[in-house]
Amino acid sequence: MNGHNLAGMTGSRSSALFLPTASLLAVGLVCIALWTGWSHSTSAQTQRGAELYAEHCAICHGAQLEGQPDWQVADESGVLPAPPHDASGHTWHHDDAMLTDYIRRGGQAVLDELGVSMTSGMPAFGEILTDGDIAAILGFIKSTWPERIRVIQAERNGG
């Protein structure tokens, strides 16, 4: 074998190694781009939910999702104060369908339909918020929960 053929074989071997490496690098870059896009989309959706929460929910449920004081004790008129949406509340005990319905139709309509005898002060937001808005608000609320609670609530959604 002369030096020229040896160099050609080395070049082939180098090219053969380069193609899988380049492919892996390309796949890695695509994955990073997709994750970055997903993460930006998720954070943008969470930000939108935070803004909608501040505009429509915080007045009753608190700017820090803390709810009203003594939220488990009805007032003189029999209405329960707004509960917290943080981990100390019961929001995460319900699936998304129920929470969406509660926000859309208002608490009393849902409780009456379920046969629950309590008075809810939660107004209906179905004429004000779209289903996308409600999903964004719920996404924001969930983003504040510890991982363990997010997993439990996701199980209530069948996932």
Side-chain angles (χ1 to χ4, degrees), residues 2 29 36 56-57 67 72 77 82 86 101-102 106 110 124 146 149 154 157:
N2 64 30
L29 290 173
T36 301
H56 299 287
C57 313
Q72 293 176 318
S77 63
D86 61 14
D101 194 32
Y102 210 86
V110 174
I149 288 177
N157 291 310

Side-chain angles (χ1 to χ4, degrees), residues 151 154-159:
V151 167
E155 290 170 358
R156 288 179 165 80
N157 291 310

Side-chain angles (χ1 to χ4, degrees), residues 37-73:
W38 175 83
S39 141
H40 173 71
S41 169
T42 301
S43 63
Q45 183 76 348
T46 301
Q47 179 60 38
R48 180 171 166 258
E51 291 166 2
L52 289 165
Y53 177 89
E55 182 179 347
H56 299 287
C57 313
I59 189 127
C60 294
H61 293 279
Q64 302 300 312
L65 295 90
E66 71 275 12
Q68 294 176 342
D70 299 321
W71 63 275
Q72 293 176 318
V73 179

